[in-house]
């Protein structure tokens, strides 16, 4: 697969930022969620494996898929997307890559994060101008 120089630089920058973030957030895992902006199609989410240097496409479509956060046990990933019209949160099972919508309202849900048990997700919800 051939990439343009601009796309490659964006990908490299995303990887470097993610690695810096991951050192503090993910501890022992070698897989890092990376968001790659592709202005022609939307925003895609990849997993970058630091040990093998390989990428795995997790979400690739015409929507804005952002803020991926891998659970501490590595079994799930939560991210925000505008695929429903509003910005909602989605959950991916990392074993099957099946996706499910976990919020569904007119508010904007962003900034998802896992608790240390991988059981609960905290996030920001903004409805009618008020962040909660």
């Amino acid at each position: 697969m051939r990439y343009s120089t601009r796309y490659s630089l964006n990908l490299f920058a995303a990887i470097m930022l993610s690695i810096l973030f991951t050192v503090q957030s993910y501890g022992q895992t070698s897989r890092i969620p990376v968001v790659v902006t592709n202005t022609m199609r939307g925003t895609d989410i990849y997993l970058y494996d630091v040990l093998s240097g390989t990428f795995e496409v997790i979400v690739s479509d015409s929507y804005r898929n952002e803020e991926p956060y891998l659970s501490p046990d590595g079994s799930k990933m939560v991210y925000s997307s505008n695929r429903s019209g509003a910005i909602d949160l989605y959950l991916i099972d990392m074993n099957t890559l099946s996706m499910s919508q976990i919020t569904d309202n007119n508010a904007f849900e962003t900034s998802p994060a896992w608790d240390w048990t991988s059981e609960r997700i905290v996030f920001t919800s903004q409805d009618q101008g008020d962040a909660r």
Side-chain angles (χ1 to χ4, degrees):
M1 185 181 291
R2 192 169 190 186
Y3 297 103
S4 70
T5 303
R6 181 177 173 197
Y7 184 77
S8 297
L9 289 175
N10 286 342
L11 184 59
F12 178 76
I15 292 168
M16 293 300 103
L17 289 174
S18 292
I19 289 172
L20 291 173
F21 174 72
T22 300
V23 168
Q24 298 196 1
S25 297
Y26 294 110
Q28 301 299 320
T29 186
S30 67
R31 298 178 348 162
I32 303 168
V34 177
V35 175
V36 177
T37 301
N38 182 343
T39 56
M40 306 254 325
R41 293 187 352 95
T43 308
D44 300 335
I45 299 174
Y46 293 77
L47 274 185
Y48 176 68
D49 190 305
V50 176
L51 299 178
S52 67
T54 58
F55 289 91
E56 178 183 0
V57 177
I58 303 299
V59 181
S60 181
D61 53 35
S62 62
Y63 300 104
R64 291 184 58 115
N65 305 296
E66 299 175 338
E67 303 179 302
Y69 204 102
L70 197 61
S71 63
D73 67 6
S75 67
K76 301 168 275 210
M77 184 173 63
V78 63
Y79 68 98
S80 63
S81 179
N82 68 343
R83 70 183 58 242
S84 67
I87 299 174
D88 285 305
L89 297 182
Y90 293 81
L91 184 69
I92 294 181
D93 179 304
M94 297 306 290
N95 296 317
T96 64
L97 295 184
S98 61
M99 178 186 64
S100 58
Q101 185 174 350
I102 57 175
T103 62
D104 185 15
N105 55 53
N106 291 328
F108 291 163
E109 282 83 28
T110 60
S111 308
W114 291 93
D115 75 345
W116 65 275
T117 67
S118 299
E119 295 294 324
R120 295 184 184 146
I121 300 168
V122 294
F123 59 92
T124 301
S125 180
Q126 186 172 359
D127 186 19
Q128 300 177 2
D130 298 328
R132 297 181 199 134

